[in-house]
Amino acid sequence: MKVLGHKIELLTGLLLHDVTMAGLQELRFPEEKPLLRGQDAAELENSDTFLLAVDTDWKEHDIETPYGLLHVVIRGSPKGNRPAILTYHDVGLNHKLCFNTFFNFEDMQEITKHFVVCHVDAPGQQVGASQFPQGYQFPSMEQLAAMLPSVVQHFGFKYIIGIGVGAGAYVLAKFALIFPDLVEGLVLMNIDPNGKGWIDWAATKLSGLTSTLPDTVLSHLFSQEELVSNTELVQSYRQQIGNVVNQANLQLFWNMYNSRRDLDINRPGTVPNAKTLRCPVMLVVGDNAPAEDGVVECNSKLDPTTTTFLKMADSGGLPQVTQPGKLTEAFKYFLQGMGYIAYLKDRRLSGGAVPSASMTRLARSRTASLTSASSVDGSRPQACTHSESSEGLGQVNHTMEVSC
């Protein structure tokens, strides 16, 4: 904990100070498995789905950080050396609008009940947030990442598994780059590792002059096909973004996200002293989502031995909302690849006893299970085991591109 406190002080004085690791982090490889079909999106299009969650077990906290208060909600308490699951939402949303559908999914609850879960709301984005005063300077994307160690320290987390969407994925990736020892794994949905160029900046400004803020944000969240179809889901989010999130605060967050810098990551071996995410990463994007190109580019910049790329069919711009079943199944196998094993209740089975959920930390092996890319029909590939040697790692590309 002393080391963490020292890092926070360093970050306050010099935000992007490089933090080195004492020794190499062990390589761990997610195992590729076939995915289950998700629920039909029609079941999720009622606006009440997003906000009427069972919140009786959740506790709210406002945590002091070097860059102001941060609102978080937490369920459970730290369990030994087990990491906490920490989420960060996309711009235009808050933790409820972004994650309620996913975390309320029955099979996901079977997983998360074995972890402490912490949802982080970006400053001023939570339900009922007061408007920031005139002249308030919204934290930069780097500063948003610098606020998270205060959350980790406040609750006594040893490390986290982060789940981020869009702007939240960028924040968690930046956090993992600065504090790699605090992050055991990342699920990054719709991440764009690139800063805005002048053309993008001008287009955003023009859009702001011709469209309302909720409609501008919707073009960031949903695919063009979804927007043209104006589905009930899009209509519901338009209403929720306009009514639930404070518009002045949202505008500040939106402006800061569009002023972000490049994430500054490169695949090891491509440039001298390349920086990249050292933990296992699962990249997720829906087909035809506005973030698709950004996620593909992010995949090209990460270590292929620890990266899983999941492209989800029929999920649009918000896969955690439209396909919670598929995403839950993928997350389960991602956890297995990091040394956890989940036995989930399967509602498709009838008769006979089904093992209740259990999650057990396994001893980390010095070997890695390597799998070939998924076939089109989703059949389970044959796995082979290689020793963790630099020779073997240099010859095999382990990035798994899965369409489901």
Side-chain angles (χ1 to χ4, degrees):
M1 201 58 71
K2 291 181 179 179
V3 175
L4 177 58
H6 177 60
K7 286 183 178 180
I8 295 175
E9 293 176 2
L10 281 176
L11 192 58
T12 304
L14 183 60
L15 184 60
L16 296 179
H17 185 274
D18 289 333
V19 179
T20 59
M21 292 181 64
L24 296 175
Q25 186 181 44
E26 180 178 350
L27 296 176
R28 289 157 290 177
F29 305 88
E31 183 180 359
E32 181 185 1
K33 302 284 184 69
L35 302 179
L36 294 178
R37 293 288 179 185
Q39 287 181 314
D40 190 274
E43 300 177 20
L44 308 169
E45 291 178 348
N46 189 322
S47 62
D48 293 341
T49 302
F50 310 121
L51 296 179
L52 297 182
V54 180
D55 289 339
T56 55
D57 296 331
W58 296 92
K59 297 180 180 179
E60 297 188 52
H61 299 263
D62 289 314
I63 298 175
E64 288 280 358
T65 80
Y67 301 99
L69 287 176
L70 200 58
H71 179 266
V72 305
V73 296
I74 187 170
R75 184 185 65 194
S77 57
K79 306 178 191 310
N81 290 327
R82 190 169 297 166
I85 295 175
L86 185 145
T87 75
Y88 212 114
H89 60 86
D90 201 355
V91 64
L93 310 177
N94 50 47
H95 81 271
K96 290 189 175 183
L97 288 172
C98 193
F99 291 112
N100 265 12
T101 299
F102 181 39
F103 278 81
N104 288 340
F105 190 73
E106 183 176 346
D107 286 348
M108 186 62 178
Q109 289 181 333
E110 288 292 323
I111 296 174
T112 58
K113 72 182 183 182
H114 298 278
F115 295 87
V116 56
V117 178
C118 180
H119 293 303
V120 177
D121 285 315
Q125 310 304 302
Q126 69 270 23
V127 176
S130 301
Q131 184 169 320
F132 289 126
Q134 187 75 20
Y136 172 80
Q137 180 61 46
F138 196 87
S140 68
M141 301 303 289
E142 289 78 11
Q143 290 170 337
L144 291 176
M147 299 170 83
L148 295 180
S150 298
V151 177
V152 174
Q153 188 176 40
H154 180 86
F155 294 113
F157 301 153
K158 295 189 184 314
Y159 32 79
I160 66 147
I161 295 173
I163 303 178
V165 180
Y170 182 100
V171 170
L172 289 179
K174 179 66 72 173
F175 172 63
L177 287 170
I178 303 170
F179 293 96
D181 291 339
L182 297 181
V183 182
E184 184 165 2
L186 288 175
V187 178
L188 304 177
M189 290 178 264
N190 298 339
I191 186 171
D192 187 345
N194 300 315
K196 289 282 189 179
W198 283 107
I199 296 178
D200 294 326
W201 179 86
T204 300
K205 287 293 184 182
L206 180 61
S207 176
L209 295 174
T210 59
S211 304
T212 64
L213 181 58
D215 282 334
T216 301
V217 172
L218 284 174
S219 67
H220 162 76
L221 298 175
F222 291 97
S223 67
Q224 191 62 31
E225 180 181 350
E226 291 171 296
L227 293 174
V228 171
S229 301
N230 197 29
T231 63
E232 290 184 25
L233 187 63
V234 171
Q235 295 178 41
S236 178
Y237 266 95
R238 180 182 290 109
Q239 178 185 9
Q240 298 290 344
I241 293 169
N243 297 335
V244 174
V245 183
N246 183 285
Q247 297 298 283
N249 296 354
L250 170 56
Q251 184 71 66
L252 293 174
F253 188 17
W254 176 250
N255 291 344
M256 192 56 69
Y257 177 64
N258 285 297
S259 301
R260 68 189 182 278
R261 302 175 181 177
D262 288 348
L263 198 52
D264 191 26
I265 55 175
N266 289 283
R267 177 165 290 184
T270 58
V271 298
N273 302 316
K275 292 196 303 182
T276 193
L277 299 174
R278 299 180 180 179
C279 63
V281 178
M282 182 168 72
L283 298 174
V284 181
V285 69
D287 56 342
N288 300 318
E292 183 176 356
D293 290 343
V295 178
V296 170
E297 182 166 352
C298 187
N299 181 57
S300 71
K301 294 182 176 183
L302 296 180
D303 185 344
T305 64
T306 56
T307 303
T308 303
F309 180 27
L310 181 66
K311 183 177 179 181
M312 300 182 66
D314 303 321
S315 63
L318 295 178
Q320 79 279 13
V321 174
T322 58
Q323 297 286 2
K326 289 181 179 179
L327 188 58
T328 296
E329 192 74 359
F331 183 57
K332 179 181 72 171
Y333 294 127
F334 182 67
L335 290 176
Q336 287 179 334
M338 290 191 295
Y340 296 88
I341 185 69
Y343 296 101
L344 301 180
K345 293 178 180 179
D346 192 336
R347 294 188 303 276
R348 300 171 303 167
L349 300 179
S350 59
V354 180
S356 60
S358 65
M359 195 75 68
T360 307
R361 189 70 171 130
L362 300 180
R364 288 179 180 170
S365 171
R366 297 302 300 174
T367 60
S369 178
L370 311 180
T371 60
S372 59
S374 171
S375 61
V376 175
D377 63 3
S379 60
R380 183 173 180 173
Q382 295 294 322
C384 57
T385 302
H386 296 266
S387 62
E388 192 177 24
S389 67
S390 58
E391 295 176 347
L393 296 179
Q395 297 172 357
V396 185
N397 186 321
H398 308 299
T399 300
M400 296 177 293
E401 299 188 19
V402 183
S403 294
C404 57

